[in-house]
């Protein structure tokens, strides 16, 4: 009798106590929350934090909260490696997020591969290992911009609207991924009948973009295209305009783009991207705006999309994996997943066994149009093969 009563009391006490760390879903993240890259990647981290806060406030996943452990790496490879060692060995996270520069990938992946932990690249450029047909079983990516696919879509848009010969000047940042994408774009453009008249590779700390813009202008470019971090994209354009160049400029709509269009106010400055703008006023945008206000966000709300999409993907994967969410179950769930992007993108985000990027990518083109942000080309869908 005494034993049964004691067991009953213990059971009742367990029900009354709050959930322990072992009873929560756990996500680890290493990201550039400080340092030179923080302005680009910090908003993605904050967007994910806001998403998880909102998810937990609504009850979590089947009554279990989600514990998000954030580690700052300042986009330094050594810090990222130390972060991941701690998250994997000490915190025992079953899934890890990278929101940092590509320089952190190799040391991070050395640790996650050894531990068998799946990784989501969020806001950071997607590595080629997530692409079909041979996606790495532990690497996934929710980031909107993508190598080769962005350039193909951009050039297809130019071809659809250009009148007469197209002479293209290209602007890249002097980092491997940007340089290689511009080389790819130039080769694809030649196949379309476009002429490459200039290809400028610009060092990251450049204080003056005028010399590079001058070469593009003097080469006779009537179109310019840039696939690079936002600072290179926008400053090259502004330098061209200061020189009196009146051509058309197309670039990738990084998270800064929506806030910059009203500042630049140029109808020939086009931004193409996979994420919808908050100027569209969709219900999901209003939901994120409310979460940002409630959570005391320090970044503009229109920069939160990549983090919110990462949250949607992680929640879907954890729900599918079920409890307990082991690293093996999460990796399996992520390898067969369909995520409703709720209008933040033109298509759902679908991962398959062989494709951890997405099966389709949709692009929309925006510009400043008559005192407001307008859509030049609505969603155009491309298959990812």
């Amino acid at each position: 009798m005494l034993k049964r009563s004691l067991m009953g009391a213990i059971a009742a006490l367990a029900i009354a106590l709050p959930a322990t760390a072992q009873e929560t879903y756990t996500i680890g993240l290493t990201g550039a929350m400080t340092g030179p890259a923080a302005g680009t990647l910090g908003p993605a981290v904050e967007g994910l934090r806001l998403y998880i806060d909102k998810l937990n406030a609504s009850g979590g996943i089947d009554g279990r909260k989600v514990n998000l452990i954030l580690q700052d790496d300042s986009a330094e490879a050594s810090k990222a490696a130390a972060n991941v060692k701690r998250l994997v060995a000490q915190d025992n996270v079953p899934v890890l997020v990278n929101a940092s520069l590509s320089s952190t990938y190799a040391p991070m992946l050395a640790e996650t591969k050894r531990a068998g932990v799946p990784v989501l690249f969020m806001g950071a450029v997607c590595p080629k290992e997530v692409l079909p047909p041979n996606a790495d079983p532990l690497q996934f990516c929710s980031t909107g911009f993508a190598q080769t696919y962005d350039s193909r879509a951009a050039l297809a848009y130019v071809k659809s609207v250009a009148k007469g010969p197209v002479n293209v000047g290209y602007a890249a940042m002097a980092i491997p991924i940007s340089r290689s994408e511009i080389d790819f774009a130039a080769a694809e453009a030649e196949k379309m009948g476009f002429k490459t008249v200039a290809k400028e590779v610009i060092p990251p700390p450049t204080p003056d973009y005028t010399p590079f813009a001058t070469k593009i202008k003097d080469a006779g470019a009537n179109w310019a295209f840039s696939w690079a971090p936002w600072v290179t994209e926008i400053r090259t354009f502004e330098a061209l305009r200061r020189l009196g160049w009146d051509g058309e400029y197309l670039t990738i709509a990084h998270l800064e783009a929506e806030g910059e269009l009203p500042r630049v106010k140029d109808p020939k400055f086009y931004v193409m991207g996979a994420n919808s703008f908050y100027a569209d006023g969709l219900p999901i945008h209003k939901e994120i705006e409310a979460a940002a206000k409630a959570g005391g966000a320090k970044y503009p709300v229109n920069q939160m999309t990549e983090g919110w999409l990462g949250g949607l993907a992680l929640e879907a994967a954890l729900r599918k994996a079920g409890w307990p969410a082991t690293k093996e179950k999460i990796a399996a769930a992520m390898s067969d997943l369909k995520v409703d992007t709720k209008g933040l993108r033109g298509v759902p985000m679908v991962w398959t066994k062989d494709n951890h990027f997405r099966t389709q990518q949709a692009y929309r083109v925006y510009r400043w149009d008559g005192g407001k942000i307008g859509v030049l080309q609505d969603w155009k869908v491309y298959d990812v093969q």
Side-chain angles (χ1 to χ4, degrees):
M1 286 287 292
L2 178 62
K3 183 177 181 181
R4 285 198 297 270
S5 298
L6 181 60
M7 290 177 65
I10 292 172
L13 180 61
I15 294 172
L17 289 174
T20 66
Q22 287 73 31
E23 294 173 325
T24 62
Y25 291 93
T26 303
I27 299 167
L29 179 147
T30 183
M33 290 176 272
T34 62
T40 297
L41 292 157
V45 177
E46 185 161 77
L48 177 60
R49 177 186 66 80
L50 292 170
Y51 185 93
I52 297 300
D53 285 350
K54 185 175 185 299
L55 177 62
N56 284 334
S58 64
I61 299 175
D62 297 328
R64 289 185 169 87
K65 298 295 179 71
V66 179
N67 181 28
L68 177 63
I69 305 174
L70 302 178
Q71 295 290 328
D72 179 26
D73 60 35
S74 301
E76 295 179 18
S78 59
K79 287 185 179 180
N83 289 346
V84 175
K85 284 181 181 178
R86 173 182 169 180
L87 289 166
V88 170
Q90 295 183 29
D91 298 307
N92 199 31
V93 300
V95 61
L96 193 130
V97 178
N98 181 292
S100 195
L101 295 185
S102 57
S103 57
T104 67
Y105 292 6
M108 176 203 66
L109 290 170
E111 298 298 329
T112 56
K113 285 182 178 179
R114 187 179 298 116
V117 173
V119 177
L120 173 66
F121 296 91
M122 181 198 75
V125 67
C126 299
K128 66 180 185 301
E129 287 79 10
V130 305
L131 295 172
N134 299 307
D136 185 291
L138 294 178
Q139 296 184 49
F140 303 83
C141 190
S142 61
T143 306
F145 54 92
Q147 301 171 69
T148 71
Y149 294 99
D150 290 356
S151 289
R152 289 193 190 104
L155 294 168
Y157 172 73
V158 173
K159 190 174 182 64
S160 72
V161 299
K163 299 175 182 177
V166 176
N167 300 321
V168 188
Y170 297 93
M173 181 180 277
I175 54 176
I177 195 166
S178 178
R179 187 196 298 263
S180 65
E181 184 66 9
I182 288 301
D183 287 341
F184 173 83
E188 288 294 303
E190 294 288 337
K191 297 176 186 176
M192 294 182 170
F194 300 168
K195 183 179 179 181
T196 298
V197 296
K199 191 190 296 182
E200 297 302 310
V201 180
I202 307 169
T206 300
D208 184 7
Y209 285 72
T210 304
F212 306 99
T214 298
K215 292 179 182 179
I216 294 173
K217 175 179 178 291
D218 291 350
N222 58 355
W223 278 86
F225 174 63
S226 181
W227 195 94
W230 184 253
V231 62
T232 297
E233 295 179 346
I234 187 65
R235 291 188 181 176
T236 303
F237 169 74
E238 290 176 318
L240 281 164
R241 284 291 187 256
R242 286 195 298 270
L243 293 168
W245 183 75
D246 191 38
E248 300 180 86
Y249 193 103
L250 176 62
T251 193
I252 299 305
H254 291 308
L255 55 84
E256 302 96 332
E258 184 169 4
E260 290 278 78
L261 286 181
R263 181 184 68 81
V264 174
K265 293 183 173 65
D266 192 308
K268 290 185 180 180
F269 179 58
Y270 315 131
V271 295
M272 168 181 276
N275 297 338
S276 61
F277 277 12
Y278 287 69
D280 300 335
L282 301 177
I284 186 63
H285 296 137
K286 298 184 186 306
E287 180 180 335
I288 299 172
E289 287 170 357
K293 184 176 180 180
K298 67 177 182 178
Y299 291 104
V301 67
N302 57 30
Q303 297 184 9
M304 301 293 170
T305 296
E306 289 292 350
W308 204 265
L309 284 161
L312 286 169
L314 288 164
E315 181 188 356
L318 292 175
R319 286 189 183 279
K320 185 170 184 178
W323 183 261
T326 64
K327 59 190 178 183
E328 293 84 4
K329 289 169 66 178
I330 294 173
M334 294 174 81
S335 293
D336 181 22
L337 198 67
K338 182 177 181 179
V339 181
D340 180 1
T341 59
K342 302 183 184 299
L344 291 175
R345 294 209 174 125
V347 291
M349 185 160 50
V350 179
W351 292 333
T352 66
K353 178 182 177 181
D354 301 319
N355 183 344
H356 296 170
F357 171 60
R358 64 215 55 144
T359 56
Q360 289 186 318
Q361 175 84 326
Y363 293 94
R364 186 180 260 173
V365 182
Y366 292 91
R367 71 166 176 176
W368 185 252
D369 184 15
K372 59 180 176 57
I373 294 175
V375 176
L376 271 178
Q377 174 188 279
D378 209 350
W379 296 117
K380 186 168 183 180
V381 180
Y382 295 84
D383 292 330
V384 177
Q385 299 174 337

